[in-house]
Amino acid sequence: MINPLNNQDTSLIHRKTKTKPSRNISSYLIGRPLPTADAPHETIGKAVGLAVFASDALSSTAYATQEILVILAAAGTLAFGYVFPISIVIVGLLTIVVISYEQIIHAYPNGGGAYIVAYDNFGYFPALVAAAALLTDYILTVSVSVSSGVAQIISAYPALFEYRVPISVLCVAFIMIINLRGVREAGAAFAVPSYFFIVMMLITIGIGLFRLFNGSLTSVPNPPQMEQFGQAISGVTAFLLLHAFSSGTAALTGVEAISNGITAFKEPRSRNAGITLIWMAFILGALFLGISFITRAIQAVPSEAETVISQIARTVFNGQGILYLLVIIGTTVILILAANTAFAGFPRLSAMLAEDGFLPRQLTFRGSRLVYSYGIVSLAAVSSILIIVFQASVTRLIPLYAIGVFLSFTLAQAGMARRWWRAGKVSPQDSENKNDAGHELRYEKSWFLKMLSNGFGALCTAVVLFVFAITKFRDGAWVVLILTPIMVSIFLWIHRHYTKVAVSLSLKKYGEPPPYNIRHRVLVPISGIHQGTLAALRYARMLSEDITAVHISMEPTDTEQVRKDWEIWGRGTRLVIVDSPYRLFLEPLLDYIDEILSSRQANETITIVVPHTVQDQRIYNALHMQTAEMLRRELLSTPGVMITEVPYQIP
Amino acid sequence: MINPLNNQDTSLIHRKTKTKPSRNISSYLIGRPLPTADAPHETIGKAVGLAVFASDALSSTAYATQEILVILAAAGTLAFGYVFPISIVIVGLLTIVVISYEQIIHAYPNGGGAYIVAYDNFGYFPALVAAAALLTDYILTVSVSVSSGVAQIISAYPALFEYRVPISVLCVAFIMIINLRGVREAGAAFAVPSYFFIVMMLITIGIGLFRLFNGSLTSVPNPPQMEQFGQAISGVTAFLLLHAFSSGTAALTGVEAISNGITAFKEPRSRNAGITLIWMAFILGALFLGISFITRAIQAVPSEAETVISQIARTVFNGQGILYLLVIIGTTVILILAANTAFAGFPRLSAMLAEDGFLPRQLTFRGSRLVYSYGIVSLAAVSSILIIVFQASVTRLIPLYAIGVFLSFTLAQAGMARRWWRAGKVSPQDSENKNDAGHELRYEKSWFLKMLSNGFGALCTAVVLFVFAITKFRDGAWVVLILTPIMVSIFLWIHRHYTKVAVSLSLKKYGEPPPYNIRHRVLVPISGIHQGTLAALRYARMLSEDITAVHISMEPTDTEQVRKDWEIWGRGTRLVIVDSPYRLFLEPLLDYIDEILSSRQANETITIVVPHTVQDQRIYNALHMQTAEMLRRELLSTPGVMITEVPYQIP
């Protein structure tokens, strides 16, 4: 053991603690704590990254095609012919969005997606709007995906219906704990089901296409009753197509996740994240197009009784055999796992906001497994509350969902467009032009083309956003209009507080006052004379010559006892007895201290030495008036006094 | 304003605070605070005392006769002839008990009843049993009487049934607030309904007797269906009579209340309390005998559909006119007001237990209106919980009730018997023989006679207790067998704690250690360098030359910043940086402090100066890690270190 006392010669001693975190319940649950130095190892490669960040996007292929059909159904079955063309347009939009995010990933390698892009190019306000939209979205992703996954389980086992809320909350808790174990373990745990879903869907589409070309693929046998959602209209209108298109863009949700989570990837992280994004886009596009194509080929219909995926699997595999079952299981699991993407994105984004002072700073602290534990737990808590409030019903939550994503798409791409415009203005020689936020801006030869491409992307997503807002306004999208300003206000309120604290603690323009003077007045409040009080008095005598003991007299008999004891133990120290006719303790004492403070001389320091009897067990505190504690709390907010507690432990 | 600094010549200054309690919500609710000097005025005379302390006992006349009939009904209507003889025996027992308590009141003028008598004559263990029984009883009195009063209201307005629990709790809250206003106001407020009940019952009995003697009193017209409670038996047995007798002794509950509340009376309080007790006994006996007599005369029957009181009033007043209504209202109100007696008794008894260290000491504090506010609020809280748990149902609570009273009767009278025996042994000359508890014991000439009388009373009440325990064991009396030991254990546990604290704080055999030495080491934990930390450092420099600042390094970038800032602001003070690879804060710091403590020299004092940033509003604390707070809490239980907080207020 190094004794620091031997190093008196140097004024800086650097040592390392020998404490290892103790093993407790949490280390059994989430694994042994990891040292900070392990951070570079706690990253994931492309294959695992795809599983973590793509599950949200991929899960949307399970319902996006159906969403298009539902809208088209208003114009009759003939309108179903538009499902594949619309899907192609959506994949076109996907391409534009993915190209934008590919650029974002390389331009902002520390992650943050729409928030960082908007912050860097438009300032904090649009950035906060994007952040509010995304955070809301992540929370809803968890609630909706877990609820819908559990709803699938319940359609298989209706007896579980009344337990749907606890089952959903348990699922959230399970995903939370796995994520608290660290990003590497969460990725490994959830990679298998993600890839299982991809493989099953590829098999289904592959066999479907094969049977289509050899002519053995029939229409859906015993198709479910087609249901009419919304009002029937006489023909296919432009608005209907636009509406169907915007509903289908649900397939795009989750695409932004990687841009928020770049820091989770192994170095070179921008490159790894970028390649993962492209892979994800390819798989997503292929599955979505494949499903839409086969949907049309087998004339699947939208229905609440049977999903389109189920109709496809049933038709392709000729009935509900083992392959059919595996497809359904894979779909259920991927729906629940979409939540995992939110657990990867939310904590990182909120840590970034906290770093910038818009959310409580605790969110930047990495837990024992090097993940942002506060963020993970907060996400689980809020989404569980939503599940409980909405009784795990998906339909009431879904309208809120997806608006946030398109808001962030639009802001991110508009931001990139502006960035390219700025990049065009930078002198080609001046390649080290850093702005306030420290983001590098280089001259870009093809800035105009890139600006156009991002601008076009922004326009497209803005249109979708607009259509969304109009078509889903009454279903609950208005909630977003209320929620986003509230969240932005909270961000700003938190930021104002941190700024105020930073300014009042700042050392800029701080001329340090002279050291405290030797004139030191000490007050010792006492309620009785005992070993604890005497310990406080002895300490007070060490601090100063000028000591005043103060006794607030509430019961005359107690005061008489204090007076008598003081003759024996007071050792000539001044004792002030303050009569309190109304049996108040704190108020007369604080008044007395205020009086002393008001007559204080300039070079005087005042210390209150409080004897504090400490119980060995918390429960015993209930048997004592917590006067030391109350006094301390009041004194803390009284400027100009120091509070010294002399603890006296009751063994 | 007296400046205490001018009085340096004297070591004792006595002053009076000028603070008056501020007016707040509670002063509107319970009245302006009263100074301690007003305590003698806050007492009550005999007339109000009768209303306060008799309402419990008097309310039992509303059901005691019926309880006797219910038991006798098992042997058929012929057995009802025993109701008056049994009532006479019960009034005989009442006489014995009242004489005992009359003696107790004069022997123990500071109140405490069975608890004090048992403590003084048998030691603390029987005293605690008596106290547990009485406290349980007071709580049940509140729950049962309020629930039964509300049940009467509900039989008139059945629509209120589903609100019975909130109505009952509101009644308890109302009685609580009136009692918090002080004993004088509570007495005045509740005197009117108590006397109203007495007058109404006297009128009923008077007219009934008058009509009986002029022959105009008939049997009950349209008597309710007599109900058979329990098993029918062929004839009147001794056990049946004993059972009926013990059921009828419900009339005696509440007799002990005055002995617990002597201190509420004006001086000469023993005399006033004694006279009040005798008055109460006379009224109680008269009402009970009168009701029993008329019950028999009009051949009233026990029934769940109509109470005996209602049958009497209906018969005496020839139908349900205005006088009938007034009797029923008076009965309902007195049933609820029985709770008020418990509010007078419980706080005083628990204050007495707290004074002796068997209950939390807070119970001895008198609130702003000079009543034991903690006791009043505790009683209201616990009885409200019982009402909520038992859904304001009386039948499930009643079996628990009354056993406690007879246990305390028996212990009180046995204690008095032993006291007379001891008084007989005292030399007639030695009249100032005080025992440990300070209770005077004089020689008593007629000690043998008094001992016999109390001994006989104890025997009678013990028999009733025994009968109670047997006949009501399965109905829930066994709960008392469980509850009493638990309560006594809690009393003893609390007492052990207070004794331990008293011993470890005691100044007996305390050789004060020498004053703290000048060798003073100061540690200043810092997480960053700012105005708050610098304020702490300046204060530390005033305390000692030997200062060590300690920084726990969790994030390398923060540490780098601290190191840089230290070069500017450290002024050569030693800085120890402790690397914490697992991002723990508290543990490495506490380890470091332990290390310093273990190498401490004998004459060394160690002070930890903690910079504490104080927010102006509590809510902002959520935005900061409460490290100063956590550190302080841990250090409090580390022996040998002083904790100084240098608060830095954020304006």
Side-chain angles (χ1 to χ4, degrees):
Chain A
M1 203 180 277
I2 308 157
N3 188 341
L5 297 177
N6 300 338
N7 299 320
Q8 299 277 12
D9 45 331
T10 168
S11 77
L12 184 73
I13 301 163
H14 204 128
R15 33 184 286 159
K16 195 167 172 174
T17 185
K18 278 169 209 76
T19 349
K20 289 229 168 185
S22 53
R23 287 192 77 75
N24 52 23
I25 301 173
S26 104
S27 64
Y28 281 100
L29 216 54
I30 68 171
R32 60 170 186 80
L34 297 171
T36 313
D38 278 6
H41 304 287
E42 279 297 305
T43 49
I44 51 180
K46 294 187 283 290
V48 172
L50 185 66
V52 169
F53 288 103
S55 49
D56 183 16
L58 292 178
S59 74
S60 55
T61 60
Y63 51 82
T65 304
Q66 181 162 348
E67 295 285 312
I68 300 174
L69 289 181
V70 163
I71 305 299
L72 292 178
T77 47
L78 269 182
F80 290 162
Y82 288 98
V83 71
F84 192 63
I86 288 175
S87 297
I88 290 176
V89 177
I90 289 171
V91 172
L93 183 60
L94 171 68
T95 312
I96 294 171
V97 170
V98 164
I99 290 170
S100 292
Y101 274 97
E102 186 69 26
Q103 292 166 343
I104 290 173
I105 287 170
H106 286 94
Y108 300 95
N110 291 321
Y115 169 68
I116 284 294
V117 178
Y119 204 136
D120 194 30
N121 295 291
F122 294 130
Y124 70 92
F125 197 80
L128 293 182
V129 172
L134 276 175
L135 291 181
T136 315
D137 226 66
Y138 283 133
I139 293 167
L140 288 170
T141 300
V142 175
S143 305
V144 168
S145 65
V146 169
S147 297
S148 70
V150 171
Q152 293 239 2
I153 296 171
I154 284 162
S155 25
Y157 303 98
L160 293 176
F161 181 77
E162 59 175 314
Y163 305 111
R164 66 195 185 285
V165 174
I167 292 175
S168 302
V169 171
L170 275 181
C171 283
V172 173
F174 175 73
I175 301 175
M176 176 191 85
I177 287 170
I178 299 291
N179 274 281
L180 285 175
R181 295 186 67 91
V183 63
R184 219 153 49 108
E185 290 208 27
F190 296 133
V192 176
S194 298
Y195 281 108
F196 176 74
F197 172 75
I198 295 172
V199 169
M200 285 317 300
M201 291 313 290
L202 288 178
I203 290 175
T204 313
I205 293 168
I207 296 181
L209 291 179
F210 176 79
R211 291 188 55 193
L212 181 67
F213 292 120
N214 75 14
S216 67
L217 195 68
T218 60
S219 293
V220 181
N222 305 316
Q225 177 70 40
M226 191 182 100
E227 274 157 77
Q228 184 74 52
F229 306 83
Q231 255 182 317
I233 51 171
S234 57
V236 175
T237 63
F239 181 77
L240 185 81
L241 290 180
L242 213 53
H243 192 178
F245 165 74
S246 68
S247 282
T249 53
L252 269 65
T253 59
V255 166
E256 85 301 335
I258 290 179
S259 70
N260 284 320
I262 305 174
T263 50
F265 283 90
K266 279 200 200 313
E267 293 287 0
R269 58 192 185 193
S270 281
R271 192 168 166 276
N272 283 331
I275 292 172
T276 309
L277 177 64
I278 289 168
W279 268 102
M280 180 179 81
F282 265 106
I283 297 171
L284 176 60
L287 293 189
F288 180 54
L289 281 182
I291 290 169
S292 292
F293 186 73
I294 293 179
T295 297
R296 188 67 209 112
I298 63 170
Q299 292 168 359
V301 294
S303 161
E304 287 234 312
E306 189 180 10
T307 61
V308 168
I309 294 285
S310 169
Q311 293 175 47
I312 291 177
R314 192 155 60 82
T315 314
V316 167
F317 298 128
N318 275 328
Q320 300 173 318
I322 178 76
L323 281 170
Y324 169 83
L325 202 69
L326 291 178
V327 168
I328 298 303
I329 291 173
T331 311
T332 304
V333 173
I334 200 82
L335 278 173
I336 296 182
L337 280 197
N340 194 41
T341 302
F343 274 99
F346 182 97
R348 290 191 171 76
L349 180 55
S350 54
M352 215 164 280
L353 279 160
E355 193 74 56
D356 294 345
F358 293 111
L359 277 178
R361 205 147 282 170
Q362 290 93 314
L363 290 164
T364 63
F365 292 164
R366 284 176 295 170
S368 68
R369 298 287 290 182
L370 286 164
V371 287
Y372 298 110
S373 317
Y374 282 95
I376 291 175
V377 173
S378 309
L379 174 61
V382 177
S383 58
S384 294
I385 290 170
L386 275 184
I387 289 175
I388 292 166
V389 168
F390 288 97
Q391 288 290 298
S393 152
V394 186
T395 46
R396 282 192 279 179
L397 291 171
I398 269 203
L400 306 175
Y401 190 49
I403 294 190
V405 181
F406 277 87
L407 188 54
S408 72
F409 283 165
T410 309
L411 282 167
Q413 294 184 107
M416 284 307 281
R418 185 167 144 74
R419 185 184 158 87
W420 297 131
W421 186 78
R422 283 165 53 217
K425 299 283 166 267
V426 174
S427 147
Q429 280 75 43
D430 186 9
S431 64
E432 281 298 324
N433 183 356
K434 290 201 178 192
N435 67 355
D436 291 353
H439 296 292
E440 208 177 308
L441 192 64
R442 281 168 198 269
Y443 176 73
E444 177 70 44
K445 231 192 279 181
S446 51
W447 67 271
F448 190 74
L449 212 70
K450 292 192 168 180
M451 186 181 80
L452 276 192
S453 115
N454 279 135
F456 179 68
L459 190 70
C460 294
T461 50
V463 168
V464 176
L465 175 65
F466 195 65
V467 173
F468 254 128
I470 288 173
T471 54
K472 298 197 169 179
F473 185 79
R474 280 197 306 175
D475 295 340
W478 57 270
V479 175
V480 177
L481 282 187
I482 293 172
L483 214 62
T484 309
I486 290 176
M487 287 181 70
V488 172
S489 311
I490 292 175
F491 294 158
L492 292 174
W493 172 76
I494 291 174
H495 193 254
R496 203 166 49 238
H497 170 72
Y498 281 134
T499 310
K500 194 181 74 179
V501 171
V503 166
S504 55
L505 291 178
S506 168
L507 295 176
K508 276 182 193 166
K509 300 185 194 164
Y510 175 67
E512 190 177 14
Y516 283 105
N517 271 286
I518 302 305
R519 187 141 167 67
H520 194 179
R521 297 201 66 187
V522 179
L523 293 184
V524 188
I526 53 171
S527 55
I529 319 287
H530 50 65
Q531 291 192 30
T533 353
L534 292 187
L537 277 170
R538 280 191 296 137
Y539 184 74
R541 289 198 190 97
M542 191 181 75
L543 294 185
S544 169
E545 303 284 305
D546 183 358
I547 307 169
T548 310
V550 189
H551 172 73
I552 305 297
S553 164
M554 292 180 286
E555 297 284 346
T557 50
D558 294 353
T559 304
E560 200 40 52
Q561 187 64 44
V562 165
R563 193 198 290 271
K564 262 195 242 160
D565 287 347
W566 196 252
E567 281 167 19
I568 306 169
W569 301 100
R571 304 234 190 287
T573 304
R574 180 170 52 241
L575 171 68
V576 175
I577 294 177
V578 182
D579 274 341
S580 172
Y582 293 94
R583 300 170 303 291
L584 299 170
F585 170 75
L586 270 188
E587 292 82 349
L589 184 56
L590 291 172
D591 277 5
Y592 181 75
I593 291 170
D594 275 349
E595 199 181 310
I596 300 269
L597 281 175
S598 67
S599 65
R600 169 166 62 160
Q601 286 149 45
N603 60 348
E604 212 172 46
T605 303
I606 291 173
T607 299
I608 318 281
V609 173
V610 187
H612 193 144
T613 308
V614 182
Q615 311 299 328
D616 54 344
Q617 281 168 46
R618 281 282 164 80
I619 188 164
Y620 291 121
N621 287 335
L623 299 178
H624 300 268
M625 289 297 272
Q626 301 299 310
T627 39
E629 188 56 42
M630 287 190 293
L631 180 61
R632 173 184 158 268
R633 215 173 291 156
E634 288 296 328
L635 289 176
L636 272 178
S637 53
T638 310
V641 294
M642 314 297 160
I643 309 142
T644 296
E645 285 175 282
V646 179
Y648 189 86
Q649 287 86 5
I650 304 294
Chain B
M1 202 179 279
I2 307 159
N3 188 340
L5 296 177
N6 301 338
N7 299 319
Q8 299 278 10
D9 45 332
T10 167
S11 77
L12 185 73
I13 301 164
H14 205 127
R15 33 184 286 157
K16 194 168 174 174
T17 186
K18 278 169 210 76
T19 348
K20 290 228 167 187
S22 52
R23 287 192 78 74
N24 52 23
I25 302 172
S26 104
S27 63
Y28 281 99
L29 216 55
I30 68 171
R32 61 170 185 80
L34 297 171
T36 312
D38 278 6
H41 305 287
E42 280 297 305
T43 49
I44 52 181
K46 295 187 282 289
V48 171
L50 184 66
V52 169
F53 288 103
S55 49
D56 183 16
L58 293 178
S59 73
S60 54
T61 60
Y63 51 82
T65 305
Q66 181 162 347
E67 294 285 311
I68 299 174
L69 290 181
V70 163
I71 304 299
L72 293 178
T77 47
L78 270 181
F80 289 164
Y82 289 98
V83 71
F84 191 64
I86 288 176
S87 297
I88 290 176
V89 176
I90 289 172
V91 171
L93 182 62
L94 171 68
T95 312
I96 295 172
V97 169
V98 164
I99 290 171
S100 292
Y101 273 98
E102 186 68 27
Q103 292 167 342
I104 290 173
I105 286 170
H106 286 95
Y108 300 96
N110 292 320
Y115 169 68
I116 284 295
V117 179
Y119 204 136
D120 193 30
N121 295 291
F122 294 129
Y124 69 92
F125 197 81
L128 293 181
V129 172
L134 276 175
L135 291 180
T136 315
D137 226 67
Y138 283 133
I139 294 167
L140 288 170
T141 299
V142 175
S143 305
V144 168
S145 65
V146 169
S147 297
S148 69
V150 171
Q152 294 239 4
I153 296 171
I154 283 162
S155 25
Y157 302 98
L160 293 175
F161 181 76
E162 59 175 315
Y163 305 111
R164 66 196 186 283
V165 174
I167 292 174
S168 303
V169 172
L170 276 181
C171 284
V172 173
F174 176 73
I175 300 175
M176 176 190 85
I177 287 170
I178 299 292
N179 274 281
L180 285 175
R181 294 185 70 91
V183 64
R184 219 154 50 107
E185 292 209 25
F190 296 133
V192 176
S194 298
Y195 281 107
F196 177 73
F197 172 76
I198 295 172
V199 168
M200 286 316 300
M201 291 314 290
L202 288 178
I203 290 175
T204 312
I205 294 168
I207 296 182
L209 290 178
F210 175 79
R211 292 189 55 193
L212 182 67
F213 291 122
N214 75 13
S216 68
L217 195 66
T218 61
S219 294
V220 181
N222 304 316
Q225 176 70 42
M226 191 183 101
E227 274 156 79
Q228 183 75 54
F229 306 83
Q231 252 181 319
I233 52 172
S234 55
V236 175
T237 63
F239 181 78
L240 184 81
L241 291 179
L242 213 53
H243 192 179
F245 165 74
S246 67
S247 282
T249 53
L252 270 65
T253 59
V255 167
E256 85 299 337
I258 291 178
S259 69
N260 285 320
I262 305 173
T263 51
F265 283 89
K266 280 202 200 309
E267 294 288 359
R269 57 192 185 193
S270 281
R271 191 168 166 275
N272 284 331
I275 293 172
T276 309
L277 176 63
I278 288 167
W279 267 102
M280 179 178 83
F282 265 106
I283 297 172
L284 177 59
L287 293 189
F288 180 54
L289 282 181
I291 290 169
S292 292
F293 186 73
I294 293 182
T295 296
R296 187 68 208 111
I298 63 169
Q299 293 168 358
V301 294
S303 161
E304 288 234 314
E306 189 181 10
T307 61
V308 168
I309 294 286
S310 169
Q311 293 174 48
I312 291 178
R314 193 154 60 82
T315 313
V316 167
F317 299 128
N318 277 326
Q320 300 175 318
I322 178 76
L323 281 170
Y324 169 82
L325 201 68
L326 290 178
V327 169
I328 298 302
I329 290 173
T331 312
T332 305
V333 173
I334 199 82
L335 278 173
I336 296 182
L337 279 198
N340 194 42
T341 302
F343 274 100
F346 182 97
R348 290 191 171 77
L349 180 56
S350 54
M352 213 163 282
L353 279 160
E355 193 74 56
D356 294 344
F358 293 110
L359 276 178
R361 204 147 283 169
Q362 291 93 315
L363 290 164
T364 63
F365 291 164
R366 285 177 294 170
S368 68
R369 300 286 291 183
L370 287 165
V371 287
Y372 298 109
S373 317
Y374 282 96
I376 292 176
V377 173
S378 309
L379 174 61
V382 177
S383 58
S384 294
I385 291 170
L386 275 185
I387 289 174
I388 293 166
V389 168
F390 288 97
Q391 289 288 299
S393 152
V394 188
T395 46
R396 282 192 278 177
L397 291 171
I398 270 203
L400 306 175
Y401 190 49
I403 295 191
V405 182
F406 278 86
L407 188 53
S408 72
F409 283 165
T410 309
L411 282 167
Q413 295 185 107
M416 284 307 281
R418 185 165 146 74
R419 185 183 159 86
W420 297 130
W421 185 78
R422 283 166 53 218
K425 300 283 166 268
V426 174
S427 147
Q429 280 74 43
D430 184 10
S431 65
E432 280 298 323
N433 183 356
K434 290 202 177 193
N435 68 355
D436 290 352
H439 297 292
E440 209 177 309
L441 193 63
R442 283 170 198 267
Y443 176 74
E444 177 70 42
K445 232 191 280 182
S446 52
W447 67 272
F448 191 74
L449 210 70
K450 293 194 170 181
M451 185 181 81
L452 275 192
S453 117
N454 279 137
F456 178 67
L459 190 70
C460 292
T461 51
V463 168
V464 177
L465 175 65
F466 196 65
V467 174
F468 254 128
I470 288 173
T471 54
K472 298 197 170 179
F473 185 79
R474 280 198 305 176
D475 295 341
W478 57 269
V479 175
V480 177
L481 281 186
I482 293 171
L483 215 59
T484 309
I486 290 176
M487 286 181 69
V488 172
S489 311
I490 292 174
F491 295 158
L492 292 175
W493 172 77
I494 291 174
H495 193 256
R496 201 166 50 238
H497 171 72
Y498 281 132
T499 310
K500 194 180 73 179
V501 171
V503 166
S504 54
L505 291 179
S506 167
L507 295 175
K508 278 182 192 164
K509 300 184 194 163
Y510 175 68
E512 190 176 17
Y516 283 106
N517 271 285
I518 302 305
R519 187 140 168 67
H520 194 179
R521 297 202 65 187
V522 179
L523 293 185
V524 188
I526 53 171
S527 54
I529 318 285
H530 50 65
Q531 292 192 30
T533 354
L534 292 186
L537 277 171
R538 279 190 297 138
Y539 184 74
R541 288 197 191 99
M542 192 181 74
L543 295 185
S544 168
E545 302 283 304
D546 183 359
I547 307 168
T548 310
V550 189
H551 172 74
I552 305 298
S553 165
M554 291 181 287
E555 296 285 344
T557 51
D558 295 353
T559 304
E560 200 40 51
Q561 187 64 44
V562 166
R563 193 198 290 273
K564 262 195 241 162
D565 288 347
W566 196 253
E567 281 167 20
I568 305 170
W569 302 98
R571 305 235 189 285
T573 303
R574 180 169 53 241
L575 170 68
V576 175
I577 295 176
V578 182
D579 275 339
S580 172
Y582 293 94
R583 298 170 305 291
L584 300 169
F585 171 74
L586 271 186
E587 292 81 350
L589 183 56
L590 292 172
D591 277 4
Y592 181 75
I593 291 170
D594 275 349
E595 201 181 309
I596 301 267
L597 282 175
S598 68
S599 65
R600 168 165 61 160
Q601 286 148 47
N603 60 349
E604 210 173 47
T605 303
I606 290 173
T607 299
I608 319 280
V609 173
V610 186
H612 194 143
T613 309
V614 182
Q615 310 299 328
D616 54 343
Q617 282 168 45
R618 283 280 164 83
I619 188 165
Y620 290 122
N621 287 336
L623 299 179
H624 300 267
M625 288 298 270
Q626 302 298 312
T627 39
E629 189 56 41
M630 288 191 293
L631 180 60
R632 174 184 157 268
R633 216 173 291 157
E634 288 295 328
L635 289 176
L636 273 177
S637 52
T638 310
V641 293
M642 314 298 160
I643 309 143
T644 296
E645 284 176 283
V646 179
Y648 189 86
Q649 287 87 4
I650 304 292

